[in-house]
């Protein structure tokens, strides 16, 4: 099983514990980004995960690569050059105080990368799947072109393509997002989104949902999934369903539309680190589908995987197939494993 | 908007995380004290906050000052001299294990400070408000006199005065508290208290309240507020309503009496650090009232502010007006702010 | 009051906070083990606690001893020699992710210790109680013999004996456990177990209990206790009742059978560190019984003590008699103790 | 005494201790930059130090401001806006392994600042001195213009001007540096440089000096100073003389030319943190000159101050006038001060 | 071998690494004090070391006791009560920047202790040696009386007495020191001092010594020792000889006068933590003399022991007899011990 | 360039900074071992480095693998199974206090590994070099056989073989070492040793060398190299020359015999971490020889590389070819690289 992902990997700088930015005199330094996170998930499940990006030829770029190599991601196709590693600052919230993200990613190496810098034949040799998110084409026009090129390279080799819509309002307008993403959707087999993404990117809305109010309306989600599938011809549409009770506690579930509407179990989560939660869903779903699970099992695997992610520090979901399956099969009691 | 506060700022020494005192080989060193905490709150809201105290002319005294300057509090009227910075040791509790405070504040510089050491004209130039707590006069007879002098200085300049009763049984007896505080109340416009304070200091009791039992009785609080207002002629009485479910979880609300009885929303809080919670209520209330909110809005602002304080490490409430308003207006979902 | 305990003390290596093993570049290093933990509990209650084991004559062995001396445990009868200090690695779980223990204890000094290396007369001089767990005889055949010798030494001096069954499947099979433990039970006055232990060691089962499902069935526990008492003639049987809601939240209670069935209060616990929870129950129970409490009070003391343990980092329960009594008497509100 | 400085303040991210970038999972986060460092030095000596820059209106910008306010620097004239806080990564070297700096400062807020954003009248009210370095005009054309505008504002108010040449090859070419700096030199009264700067910026060379070889040639320095003074009409030229024995040990001295050639004592330094060493020399020199010391004493004060800086973590020199004078007067024995 | 020491044990609060007080947001918390440090040294050499003091009945007092118990010091005769644990703040210097100590010890429990609170018969049962320093009688008049009482108790039981003069100018004047100490000297068999102490306490001066200048004059030390021995009738006088090159590097040696003048080897020390260096000399000397070494060997043992102390964090000298002997016998090469 | 190394990788547990084992409540956890360290060196130089060993199928084993993958070492041929990861505890010395290593490696997975578990064809495909040390055959008889098998596999494919003698007295006797190693030497082309190794393993002595005395005698080293070369037919013999001034300062050089005697430059090193110093020499030498440097240049490269290692925390030498060459070419000034 070989999966290729393309995107930006950033340095994540987070104050220790629950300190606010203005209290911090240390930052925990990890690395992450939507597509890198998916690659890590897959490498931890034993898949061949190949992450492609561009990183500067300095020690910070190297440290980002090392963070991927450490968990077995293939980094041999990462291009070196350009100016800087993008950064995001993360302040962890608690109770009623929300987590806060400050992006400092303009001018990163990937933002100026071009398709011809990558060796597509090697990258997609034996590949089964290609994954990207709506963040990558939002970074720059060059990145939008690069993403399209990657999609074309994947498609022409018969590689399945998935996309997590992931709208980032700081990176582009809804109008631009709609234009660029609509064109990319022609390559996509499996679309992952949350309700806000569908609205922000494509203007597709569910009825009667109040995201901050903590109530989920199944009919609304069905409607969104159906509209997405119809409009772009996706084989499957997965929608993650987060109910934010507070910064410390969320409920978490998902829906998969494949002609039918499958709803997963819902988990009540005490949060350690919720960043990367959506990405770990994507990683789990790809693994589930590629490893031959039926759609319902793949959905439960993906939701259990991303539930566990919320208990793990950093962007990366560091769990094994066995751990995910144990939870998906119903043991969330947290009893000590000796 | 300029607010003056007078009191003691102490070095706070806390074991890391949930370690007990006998496990600690490091102490997190921050600074705090009721009135300093109020000054910090106000400075963070953009007010001119002037904190007055006396601190020794050594590096620990300087570090205390720096902790205030860092957040923009005016420390230029702090008197230097005397023997030591008072200390309090704080062990953070969890679940059924209570937090524990050991005071080591005898002989601190402020305990021997005299009114004539302070430049009252400069201190109160353009001031709108003066705030103190029941801790300051409890420190020593000298401090009681100093507090009275400050009240007089404030009053003769037409500055509003607020007092948080804050009874500390380790510092003085109920009898002495009653005597000293009763005299100081003549200067006070806005009184802040919790139910225990009113009883401990003035013997004013609410009926039918069991503080450790977790039930709040609205009628009892109304009764306490009314008695306080009547006895001392306060314009407003604010009472904070804490229900302690465990060291990790509290409910938090407040009441304001201004002729009418206004009750705020109640928040369920997962606690990061509850010390300074009351002070942050005071800071929020003063800001709300001075910035022209109506009493109900000021009360909600104060409760939301202090709710957020419980998610922040250290005595100081490091939140902005926007953050408080967002919560007061109903968004406590803790969704990531990107 | 003098209590002797015999067993292995291990170096415990735990990643900081909620980090997974593969994320850790530091391990918090503490020491612990079932019987050492009981000794610590008792020393903290003011009892004379004498812990016996064998530790290598190197600095790691010394550090283990120092960790006990620090809290006043008598370590003067610990034998020095052998090859190594056993280790256990602990990864702390959260929410649906379980805590994980990796044992690396083979070949530790205690595993090769012999009865004749210990000075039993001094060890049991003035002793009132001897405690061991099912872990010690499981370590090796030598340890099983050593445990038996210690029991004989205790019994012939009229010292009461307690045993916590504590089945460890990595150390021995159920068959071997049954054989060895059955013989040791002849010396035991007070047996402590949880429902799984009784089943794993002696095949004694309660009906209708689903441990991961979070439901407790009182009748089942009664049945287990009665069977244990009948089969081995125990004076008292104590059964701890843990309901694991998640790795972050447990319910905790216990039952004592002394002819009658006594059930304690149940506590809802937000977990800081659950390792050593059972041991702290044992320490509390021994203290309660030896200090003259009636069985019901001793049970409540033991449950309150072990409830508090869950809020304390490390294996050791570092609480005072006053703190335990305060909780046992009903104050679990966690209000700050100033 | 009021001193104004203008420049960029950056977030400094440094691995802990002597860890390399690829080993770090934490960065110590402090703030610094040539002119901010000078402001801090002066504030610590009791001067009114006003630092002007532009910082983004986010929490990282605020944290930079707070780092200055903490030590009493006037930050009220800092303009808020623009995109980001510049960053530099610092890896501390030891023995033969050199320290390493990676700059990531492109696109910082100050790089796009314009003179008309600043309130020059307030900034220079009562000012005695204006200081800048060769880094500021190198940041961008806008910064070069801003620097020139500030110099003009200073000069027209009769404020003395100093400049530390500080050539940064990553920011501009020698050619551009020469053009821009030559024009700025018309405003400068006191020029500070090291031998490399004079060569890199103006092509002015000393004879027979091998900087990596550890030998200083007094005649060479005299020649450089004289050439600088002649070419630009400086009243004083100060040249710092660093002999780098290893990353752990440097010799440190300076020369001042004011018509005569004054050489300071030389210190042998065991290095804690050498970044900001030159800036602390500038801060010391300005203080010495402004506080009425004769040139020789001011030089010794500046060298002693910067010697002490090498023993202090972070960019900022946190020493008092008394500490500097004690060393300048000959007590470098490091005996404990009780 | 049993040694009793009497004095104050303080909480030592030190910023991490080389941070200055105003940079610290954490303090490393250890415990120490002249006589406690001597007790620790002796316990580490296998002696029975009994430390007596008074400590408050709170967790900070308990933590101080635990720090001693951990290393095997007998703390069973420590009296509990009084108000507080004395504190000293320590900022570690480097290179030309001196270490800095801020004392905050007024009003500590020991300062109000009385002789009748101690059980002298038990304390001195089987004791061979009693040690105190000039710090204890300086704390308060009560402490001076307590020290005298302890000396009398020791002497009447034939216990040898040693005193380290240790003048602390913040605690008393030279006049008072001379009066009090002169009376106590009648009990002393072995006097330990450095050159400054002899001058500060008794006005006894060596000729031609410049302490900050780094030069030692043997004749001067001989003269001081002889004067001390003559004036008070000491059997032995030991003088430590520190040459302070910088805060990072000292030379260290000692002299013993026993009728003859014995000079030890001199060590060049790269300093990790120099506090407690003198105390570790005292501990080493007492051990050497009590264990039957001849005076020259005891002196070399003491100097080697205290040389090693400078490489160890905290007040306590944590070295074994073997480690000290290895160095005393000439192996200071620091080769890895595998 | 592909290099294969075979050996044990251990978990290294080291107290932070200069703390002694009995002071540590945290251990820095890194991984290392002679041959793994060589593999890391080579991977950092851009070579294909393949490390083979056996590690348990648990998270500690995985963490060891991840530590290698992070830096690009090929771990795909590591066999999983067996019982445990070997451990070594490291206490860092300073000044006259030596570093201390406690081994706890008995029963590690590699100790029971067999040749048939490894896929030699894949391992040695395209390999240019095979390296092992005298530690591996010392671990167990199985390891000795495994080492021999690996040597045979290498030789029959024409792969060059190097061995670092590395005698470990805790693992085997001199007699056994001589027997086993003598047989292995038939496969070795390049032998690396220090003077002690040659004596300990083969009884080959240099004249007139006093290792702890700090003096190096060139003739002695020549004699040792010549004897080694003659006895075993090595093509090259490299001898590292360490002069241990203290635990904080060493001199470091090396000699290479290839028919002629080449001596390298000598470096004076201020030590950050000296463990792995010898291994980094080996890694540097192999790189130098394989990359086509002449023997003198390869020797200087190896010595410079290992000089730099002493400034880096952990076993692994994390330096680039450029950094090593810069030092080898003479720039050890440690000037900041911007």
């Amino acid at each position: 099983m070989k999966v290729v992902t393309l995107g930006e990997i950033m340095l994540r700088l987070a104050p220790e514990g629950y300190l606010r930015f203005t209290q911090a005199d240390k930052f925990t330094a990890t690395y992450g980004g939507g597509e890198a996170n998916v690659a890590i998930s897959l490498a931890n499940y034993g898949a061949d995960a190949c992450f492609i990006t561009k990183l500067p030829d300095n020690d910070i770029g190297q440290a980002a690569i090392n963070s991927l190599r450490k968990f077995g991601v293939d980094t041999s196709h990462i291009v070196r050059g350009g100016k800087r590693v993008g950064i995001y600052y993360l302040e962890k919230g608690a109770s009623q105080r929300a987590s806060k993200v400050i992006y400092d990613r303009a001018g990163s190496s990937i933002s100026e990368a071009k398709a011809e810098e990558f060796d597509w034949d090697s990258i997609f040799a034996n590949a089964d799947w290609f994954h990207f998110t709506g963040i990558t084409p939002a970074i720059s026009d060059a990145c939008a072109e690069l993403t399209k090129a990657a999609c074309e390279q994947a498609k022409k080799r018969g590689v399945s393509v998935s996309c997590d819509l992931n709208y980032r309002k700081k990176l582009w307008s809804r109008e631009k997002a709609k234009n660029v993403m609509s064109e990319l959707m022609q390559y996509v087999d499996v679309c992952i989104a949350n309700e806000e993404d569908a609205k922000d990117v494509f203007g597709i809305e569910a009825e009667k949902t109040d995201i901050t109010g903590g109530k989920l309306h199944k009919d609304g989600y069905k409607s969104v999934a159906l509209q997405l599938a119809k409009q772009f011809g996706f084989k499957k549409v997965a929608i993650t369903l987060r109910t934010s009770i507070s910064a410390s506690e969320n409920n978490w579930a998902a829906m998969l539309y494949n002609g039918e509407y499958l709803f997963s179990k819902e988990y009540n989560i005490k949060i350690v680190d919720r960043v990367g939660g959506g990405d770990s869903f994507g990683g789990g779903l790809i693994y589930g589908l590629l490893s031959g699970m039926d759609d319902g099992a793949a959905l439960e695997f993906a939701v259990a995987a991303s539930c566990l992610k919320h208990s793990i520090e950093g962007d990366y979901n560091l769990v094994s197939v066995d751990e995910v399956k144990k939870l998906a099969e119903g043991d969330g009691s947290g009893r000590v494993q000796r």
Side-chain angles (χ1 to χ4, degrees), chain A residues 186-205:
Chain A
Q186 64 181 296
Y187 306 103
V188 173
D189 302 291
V190 177
C191 176
I192 302 169
N194 62 37
E195 199 189 15
E196 286 177 301
D197 292 333
K199 181 176 170 187
D200 289 336
V201 179
F202 298 120
I204 295 175
E205 283 196 65

Side-chain angles (χ1 to χ4, degrees), chain A residues 63-282:
Chain A
I65 288 175
N66 289 2
S67 79
L68 295 162
R69 285 203 298 205
K70 180 180 172 186
F71 294 104
V73 172
D74 175 7
T75 61
S76 61
H77 296 290
I78 293 176
V79 175
R80 301 299 294 272
K83 292 180 193 151
R84 63 184 297 254
V85 176
I87 289 171
Y88 82 94
Y89 299 93
L90 171 66
E91 181 186 276
K92 193 183 285 191
S95 208
Q96 286 79 3
R97 179 168 60 81
S99 290
K100 209 167 167 179
V101 170
I102 298 174
Y103 287 105
D104 176 17
R105 61 200 297 181
S108 65
S109 293
I110 186 68
S111 73
E112 301 174 359
K114 292 176 183 166
E116 55 265 36
E117 298 183 78
F118 294 86
D119 176 1
W120 299 108
D121 285 333
S122 299
I123 289 167
F124 281 114
N126 304 312
D128 300 293
W129 198 283
F130 172 66
H131 176 79
F132 71 101
T133 78
I135 300 169
T136 308
I139 292 169
S140 65
D141 290 345
C143 277
E145 285 179 43
L146 174 62
T147 308
K148 193 177 172 195
C151 286
E152 284 169 351
Q153 295 285 347
K155 269 298 158 200
K156 80 178 185 197
R157 288 173 178 83
V159 170
S160 297
V161 175
S162 59
C163 174
D164 187 335
L165 296 185
N166 252 337
Y167 179 68
R168 289 286 181 269
K169 68 174 184 285
K170 296 256 175 83
L171 289 178
W172 56 2
S173 68
R174 293 185 176 196
E175 290 65 37
K176 183 152 192 194
K178 189 173 184 178
N179 288 342
V180 174
M181 291 295 281
S182 292
E183 189 175 350
L184 291 170
M185 289 306 102
Q186 64 181 296
Y187 306 103
V188 173
D189 302 291
V190 177
C191 176
I192 302 169
N194 62 37
E195 199 189 15
E196 286 177 301
D197 292 333
K199 181 176 170 187
D200 289 336
V201 179
F202 298 120
I204 295 175
E205 283 196 65
E207 291 144 28
K208 299 176 208 163
T209 306
D210 172 4
I211 286 159
T212 62
K215 291 188 191 139
L216 297 172
H217 299 268
K218 290 196 167 183
D219 287 350
Y221 295 116
K222 290 180 180 175
S223 152
V224 167
L226 186 61
Q227 291 179 61
L228 283 169
K230 278 194 179 161
Q231 188 163 343
F232 299 108
F234 302 134
K235 293 180 190 149
K236 302 179 204 289
V237 176
I239 298 190
T240 56
L241 311 177
R242 183 187 297 279
T243 312
S244 200
I245 299 164
S246 76
S248 305
E249 186 179 2
N250 281 190
N251 290 332
W252 178 252
M255 194 203 80
L256 182 72
Y257 173 71
N258 61 357
E260 291 182 286
Y261 302 100
L262 311 174
F263 280 85
S264 79
K265 253 180 292 192
E266 185 177 43
Y267 295 94
N268 176 261
I269 303 177
K270 305 293 187 272
I271 295 174
V272 170
D273 186 337
R274 110 189 232 335
V275 180
D279 306 323
S280 62
F281 175 83

